[in-house]
Amino acid sequence: MSSAPQLLKAPTTVVLTGGTSGIGYDLLGRLLDGGHKVVVIARRASSLSPQPGLIPLDVDLADIAAVRAACARLAADHTDTTVLINNAALQYPAQLTDPDFDPRQMEAEVAINLVAPALLAQALLPTLRHHGQRAAIINISSGLAYFPKQKTALYCATKAGLSSFTRSLRYQLESDGTLVSEVVLPLVDTPMTEGRGTGKIGAAAAAQAILAGIAARHETIHVGKAKLIPMLSRLAPGLGHRILRGS
Ligand SMILES: NC(=O)c1ccc[n+]([C@@H]2O[C@H](COP(=O)([O-])OP(=O)(O)OC[C@H]3O[C@@H](n4cnc5c(N)ncnc54)[C@H](OP(=O)(O)O)[C@@H]3O)[C@@H](O)[C@H]2O)c1
């Protein structure tokens, strides 16, 4: 049995991107209830109702200069951080074949979904490494990283990139004992998926499963139907692609 400590058991400081909506909002409530201090990074972070432990930081993660400034602030002011949760993401439901698809939307998707998580992780590395086995970097990915759909091609690609990035970073931090986890989510009922899809799980169920997976130090946290992905990838990848293609 591993002697590594259970994560998020004792109050600590968590940096959470995208705590203003959907899964991130539910994670925020649970973390604050658990007595943690939470630095929320989002465009509308300061619109959250003030609560003990909540530290809002208004940042547009599509703006790399703003991300760099936030990184400097985190590294200087939040050296007690032990957990980074890269949760914020953007998904434009368009196809490259749509004549009015604005290429700037693709730039924003890559910046928010892939570049910002890497920059935040790098900025917090000295702090996190200092905490060794008590530290964790959690990247919120998707089943679409493994089985992309027809629409939102770049969103799927950023999640595949985040999945690969998570594994490489895990190798880099292996000797520190820092947990580097990928959360593989199914369809969750949030503003991101409003008006589309069926069989969604609620944001509360997703948040609960994510926190349980972190506490148990799982390197990959498959949530709900996403638990089928390893089996589909191994035994019936063609079926997986067919199911998710039109999702
Ligand atoms: N919902 C699903 O079915 C599903 C499935 C698989 C994976 N996921 C993943 O789960 C995570 C949470 O998604 P969700 O469904 O909860 O989405 P959501 O309700 O749309 O929330 C997205 C969050 O990201 C933040 N965000 C968006 N653009 C931003 C920007 N430019 N700068 C800073 N923050 C920004 C938003 O905050 P502001 O608006 O305040 O900036 C918001 O808090 C994402 O990584 C998503 O890819 C979701």
Side-chain angles (χ1 to χ4, degrees):
M1 206 172 112
S2 163
S3 58
Q6 189 180 335
L7 291 164
L8 293 175
K9 202 173 175 194
T12 187
T13 299
V14 179
V15 172
L16 169 69
T17 66
T20 56
S21 163
I23 299 156
Y25 184 71
D26 210 278
L27 283 172
L28 172 64
R30 284 164 198 269
L31 290 167
L32 291 175
D33 287 350
H36 303 294
K37 206 160 79 175
V38 188
V39 182
V40 171
I41 296 180
R43 288 166 301 182
R44 300 167 292 147
S46 57
S47 72
L48 290 163
S49 307
Q51 290 175 70
L54 170 62
I55 304 166
L57 216 55
D58 286 348
V59 182
D60 181 351
L61 293 172
D63 176 350
I64 296 301
V67 178
R68 284 202 199 106
C71 284
R73 211 165 143 190
L74 290 175
D77 298 349
H78 298 289
T79 50
D80 50 353
T81 302
T82 64
V83 178
L84 165 66
I85 306 180
N86 279 312
N87 163 75
L90 185 71
Q91 180 179 165
Y92 285 113
Q95 310 198 81
L96 270 70
T97 48
D98 294 343
D100 52 356
F101 186 21
D102 185 341
R104 284 171 299 188
Q105 294 181 339
M106 291 194 282
E107 291 173 15
E109 274 180 329
V110 178
I112 298 162
N113 301 2
L114 188 55
V115 179
L119 292 176
L120 290 167
Q122 189 197 27
L124 281 166
L125 267 190
T127 298
L128 296 171
R129 295 187 84 178
H130 170 74
H131 292 288
Q133 288 188 327
R134 290 190 297 115
I137 297 174
I138 312 297
N139 293 327
I140 308 292
S141 174
S142 164
L144 296 175
Y146 300 86
F147 297 110
K149 62 178 181 176
Q150 180 182 338
K151 292 185 173 173
T152 72
L154 211 65
Y155 172 85
C156 299
T158 59
K159 291 300 180 185
L162 190 65
S163 169
S164 168
F165 171 79
T166 305
R167 186 175 283 271
S168 293
L169 187 59
R170 183 181 306 136
Y171 297 156
Q172 291 175 28
L173 299 186
E174 221 156 39
S175 59
D176 298 347
T178 300
L179 178 73
V180 184
S181 293
E182 174 188 2
V183 176
V184 187
L185 288 176
L187 204 57
V188 184
D189 193 9
T190 69
M192 183 182 274
T193 60
E194 201 176 323
R196 62 185 173 85
T198 54
K200 299 178 207 178
I201 62 166
Q208 190 181 21
I210 291 167
L211 294 179
I214 297 173
R217 306 188 71 89
H218 290 160
E219 290 182 345
T220 310
I221 303 170
H222 289 102
V223 177
K225 284 183 201 158
K227 289 181 184 144
L228 294 172
I229 285 174
M231 188 268 290
L232 274 175
S233 300
R234 223 173 25 249
L235 300 177
L239 176 63
H241 286 298
R242 275 199 300 281
I243 293 171
L244 275 117
R245 174 188 165 138
S247 65

